[in-house]
Amino acid sequence: MDRVAPEGARDKVAAEASRRRTFAIIAHPDAGKTTLTEKLLLKGGAIQLAGAVRAKGNARRTRSDWMKIEQDRGISVATSVMTFERGGLVFNLLDTPGHEDFSEDTYRTLTAVDAAVMVLDAAKGIESQTRKLFEVCRLRDIPIITFVNKMDREARDPFELIDEIEKTLALDAAPVAWPVGRASEFAGTYDLLERRFLPVDADDSAAIDLNGLDDPKLEALVGPERAAALREEAELAEAGLNAFDLEAFREGHLTPVFFGSALRDFGVGHLLDGLSCYAPPPGARAGDPREVQPGEEKLTGFVFKVQANMDPNHRDRVAFVRLCSGKLVKGMRLKQVRTGKQVPVNAPLFFFAKDRQVAEEAWPGDVVGVANHGTLRIGDTLTEGEELNFRGVPSFAPEILRHVQLEDPMLAKKLKTALDQLAEEGVVQLFRPLDGSLPVVGVVGQLQLDVLQSRLKVEYGVPARFQETMWSMMRWVTGEDRTALERFASLNRRDAGEDHDGELVAFFGSDWRRKRAEEEWPMLKFHAVREQHGLVAAKR
Ligand code: G4P
């Protein structure tokens, strides 16, 4: 096995880890995430991939039958990973589905990144989905870089946009670029930190160094009116707005703000420079019983997504593993801590925008796909033998609960297998009511139900319908007092069940009933979020 030689191995791991920037783009649909992704890939030299992001969308839609829903709805449900290199750094961009209905996947993807780029439409500012995604980033204080996109069009006043970020997200914002001219008069940006002018429609390297804002070159470059406006605004900005502070950014308390136009390929290089310089490399990750440092020699990682049938020619399941320490090489055997099983990693996959490629090695911050037959589950920790579990891959209490009803009762066994597999993949959450009634599936949005129905039929040949339940919410129930837990379970057999991992859950018809239960059972805890493997919800 081609393992790293012990001598200097730690240094090598630490050096490779420090070259990684693993990030996601969060945006409200239409803000320009796809366009920006294309341009970032282009900048990263992955030219053959650029333009493939959109094409990938179409190709992806034809890849397997269940994805027909994506085609019908014109949205992307799958998550993928794109890797590109620039300036000696390796960027891993984890794509997140933007549709507001299908957000659990997105939440989990955000557990695997070290930074996020928040794309705003300059005319719209913070939109509903931006806010939701931001809140998820805040759960882990993920550092966020803001890219105000579509500056080539009618845009809102930059002061107003910055104020909106600060007020609606309770996040300090520091402009690092300032737009010169607006809409059709947009001439480029002034780099407030480097004191350079970046002209629109010019190469990234075409930045023009200035001797501060008073440099007379400015008039020649943008004309007297825009120069005067810039001077006034930039001075106001420097005096009245937050200055960039790397530490505050890395702690998730301050966002640097870039302005540009993804469509015109303007400001994207500047943004990428910002990602290179400011976004953190992989850091220490909280685990049980200890924190893991990225530079450690031994490999650790966790599964944040499982996807089936990404390619009809490979009807396996692929677990997306984010590496947290050590080096991964082909042929390694890793321990799945939950079960103690050994998982062979014979052909780790990188997910470039176009094809799956076999990787030779991977380092902390990288994401690899591990093909398996359903052994690996979301939240699983993989190690070289250590008993360790990473925290922070959450399940959210579903908001829609439905009984699954078979059209053909002879298929009950097949349905069970199908539901078990789909629950492992995280497509739905599955609950078995304690009174033995029909299984209950829980989802956060209607779209997830459509995906489930389609996949049950197409992949497993089990046509099924969903039947309303009398519940509108569920909670995981935990408590130190085992007798109380047992008593709760036996008194509420009709409104309680077990989740896929055997954890106790309670169903409620209304928020009022939930509150009642909390009052009646003060010794128990009712959780809306559960981390994998009982770190929030302890075993019964
Ligand atoms: P999304 O992934 O966040 O949903 O957004 P996407 O990149 O698909 O962009 C949404 C629309 O906004 C697209 O137009 C895209 O061309 C446009 N757009 C993105 N960035 C900019 C920008 O910097 N300036 C301007 N003016 N437009 C931008 P569309 O008409 O919906 O699609 P298409 O026909 O261009 O593909």
Side-chain angles (χ1 to χ4, degrees):
M1 201 184 296
D2 177 27
R3 294 215 189 192
V4 193
E7 201 182 315
R10 218 183 155 95
D11 292 349
K12 173 74 175 158
V13 176
E16 287 293 342
S18 69
R19 291 204 307 133
R20 264 51 185 188
R21 299 289 181 276
T22 302
F23 71 105
I25 301 179
I26 59 172
H28 190 85
D30 252 10
K33 190 177 77 170
T34 313
T35 315
L36 180 64
T37 303
E38 282 174 3
K39 297 293 157 45
L40 284 171
L41 292 179
L42 244 178
K43 292 265 171 299
I47 291 162
Q48 76 279 16
L49 306 180
V53 180
R54 222 170 277 272
K56 180 195 64 175
N58 294 326
R60 195 202 258 162
R61 280 169 205 139
T62 54
R63 268 217 289 253
S64 74
D65 295 337
W66 72 268
M67 288 189 182
K68 195 171 169 302
I69 290 176
E70 296 191 358
Q71 198 179 359
D72 294 347
R73 298 237 185 165
I75 54 150
S76 149
V77 180
T79 302
S80 61
V81 183
M82 285 156 272
T83 301
F84 58 94
E85 293 200 34
R86 185 183 190 242
L89 298 179
V90 178
F91 293 88
N92 295 307
L93 168 52
L94 276 54
D95 189 20
T96 51
H99 198 276
E100 87 188 82
D101 234 19
F102 200 66
S103 39
E104 243 192 319
D105 244 11
T106 309
Y107 292 140
R108 295 205 193 100
T109 297
L110 290 172
T111 64
V113 300
D114 302 312
V117 171
M118 175 168 77
V119 181
L120 304 182
D121 181 326
K124 295 185 175 151
I126 306 282
E127 297 176 82
S128 58
Q129 187 71 352
T130 339
R131 194 160 41 229
K132 278 196 201 165
L133 290 163
F134 169 77
E135 292 305 338
V136 178
C137 292
R138 168 154 284 166
L139 289 175
R140 283 187 46 229
D141 285 334
I142 297 173
I144 292 176
I145 298 184
T146 302
F147 184 72
V148 179
N149 189 31
K150 307 198 188 182
M151 286 305 294
D152 56 314
R153 289 212 309 222
E154 240 9 275
R156 281 169 56 190
D157 176 57
F159 286 103
E160 197 184 300
L161 283 166
I162 287 172
D163 189 53
E164 184 172 281
I165 297 171
E166 297 204 324
K167 293 231 167 81
T168 56
L169 305 182
L171 173 73
D172 287 344
V176 292
W178 198 263
V180 184
R182 304 285 186 274
S184 60
E185 295 287 294
F186 181 61
T189 53
Y190 176 71
D191 181 340
L192 292 162
L193 301 184
E194 302 287 331
R195 310 204 157 268
R196 303 175 302 170
F197 174 61
L198 309 168
V200 75
D201 291 336
D203 202 59
D204 278 334
S205 54
I208 298 155
D209 288 323
L210 293 174
N211 202 3
L213 283 165
D214 294 330
D215 194 323
K217 256 197 287 182
L218 203 53
E219 265 78 10
L221 288 167
V222 301
E225 275 176 33
R226 284 183 293 200
L230 169 68
R231 281 195 187 106
E232 191 188 325
E233 290 171 5
E235 273 165 22
L236 259 176
E238 282 180 328
L241 300 178
N242 282 292
F244 178 65
D245 173 342
L246 186 62
E247 202 176 322
F249 162 67
R250 293 240 172 130
E251 285 169 356
H253 301 149
L254 175 141
T255 180
V257 183
F258 292 78
F259 292 86
S261 162
L263 190 66
R264 301 263 294 265
D265 195 7
F266 175 72
V268 180
H270 195 199
L271 171 70
L272 205 43
D273 290 343
L275 265 171
S276 308
C277 299
Y278 312 141
R285 200 160 269 262
D288 245 18
R290 69 177 189 95
E291 193 178 77
V292 173
Q293 299 296 330
E296 290 179 21
E297 245 176 83
K298 295 268 193 235
L299 183 142
T300 61
F302 65 90
V303 177
F304 64 94
K305 183 181 171 66
V306 174
Q307 193 164 335
N309 308 334
M310 289 184 69
D311 180 338
N313 298 322
H314 300 254
R315 291 191 69 87
D316 46 16
R317 274 187 268 171
V318 174
F320 289 72
V321 180
R322 148 86 199 220
L323 301 190
C324 301
S325 66
K327 176 189 182 181
L328 180 89
V329 288
K330 245 163 78 177
M332 259 178 142
R333 293 179 78 79
L334 296 175
K335 175 174 169 173
Q336 178 186 30
V337 179
R338 179 171 56 83
T339 59
K341 276 189 199 154
Q342 292 289 313
V343 180
V345 186
N346 295 324
L349 302 160
F350 271 141
F351 295 90
F352 286 100
K354 237 163 89 190
D355 302 305
R356 310 207 290 185
Q357 299 190 1
V358 177
E360 290 304 319
E361 55 185 33
W363 303 91
D366 285 341
V367 170
V368 292
V370 177
N372 73 106
H373 299 293
T375 321
L376 292 174
R377 285 201 205 162
I378 290 165
D380 271 351
T381 297
L382 296 174
T383 69
E384 292 190 41
E386 187 177 350
E387 280 291 318
L388 176 100
N389 277 299
F390 284 111
R391 296 187 199 146
V393 183
S395 290
F396 295 86
E399 287 157 19
I400 300 175
L401 295 155
R402 295 283 183 271
H403 285 300
V404 188
Q405 206 175 27
L406 273 174
E407 285 177 15
D408 176 356
M410 300 295 282
L411 296 175
K413 209 167 155 204
K414 246 176 142 178
L415 175 71
K416 184 177 177 308
T417 311
L419 287 177
D420 280 343
Q421 289 190 4
L422 292 168
E424 276 162 26
E425 232 184 89
V427 172
V428 285
Q429 293 185 45
L430 180 62
F431 307 102
R432 300 193 188 281
L434 296 182
D435 67 0
S437 55
L438 290 173
V440 173
V441 290
V443 293
V444 290
Q446 175 64 35
L447 174 65
Q448 245 174 305
L449 276 186
D450 295 355
V451 170
L452 173 65
Q453 192 166 34
S454 168
R455 290 189 62 180
L456 281 174
K457 190 167 168 197
V458 174
E459 276 174 44
Y460 296 92
V462 187
R465 279 195 303 267
F466 301 114
Q467 196 187 11
E468 296 261 345
T469 59
M470 53 202 170
W471 311 301
S472 58
M473 63 175 62
M474 61 111 341
R475 291 290 182 264
W476 282 275
V477 191
T478 64
E480 299 283 313
D481 184 344
R482 296 179 66 85
T483 328
L485 269 178
E486 295 296 344
R487 209 153 48 85
F488 178 85
S490 68
L491 286 174
N492 292 284
R493 287 179 60 76
R494 232 169 49 110
D495 296 306
E498 280 187 350
D499 77 0
H500 195 57
D501 295 318
E503 307 280 3
L504 180 66
V505 301
F507 304 116
F508 301 104
S510 67
D511 204 35
W512 181 82
R513 285 190 180 275
R514 176 187 63 80
K515 283 191 190 131
R516 270 287 299 274
E518 284 184 358
E519 282 163 19
E520 282 174 18
W521 299 87
M523 68 299 272
L524 300 182
K525 287 211 172 81
F526 296 84
H527 307 266
V529 180
R530 183 197 155 209
E531 291 199 358
Q532 302 295 319
H533 313 312
L535 286 164
V536 168
K539 282 246 179 269
R540 255 199 304 156

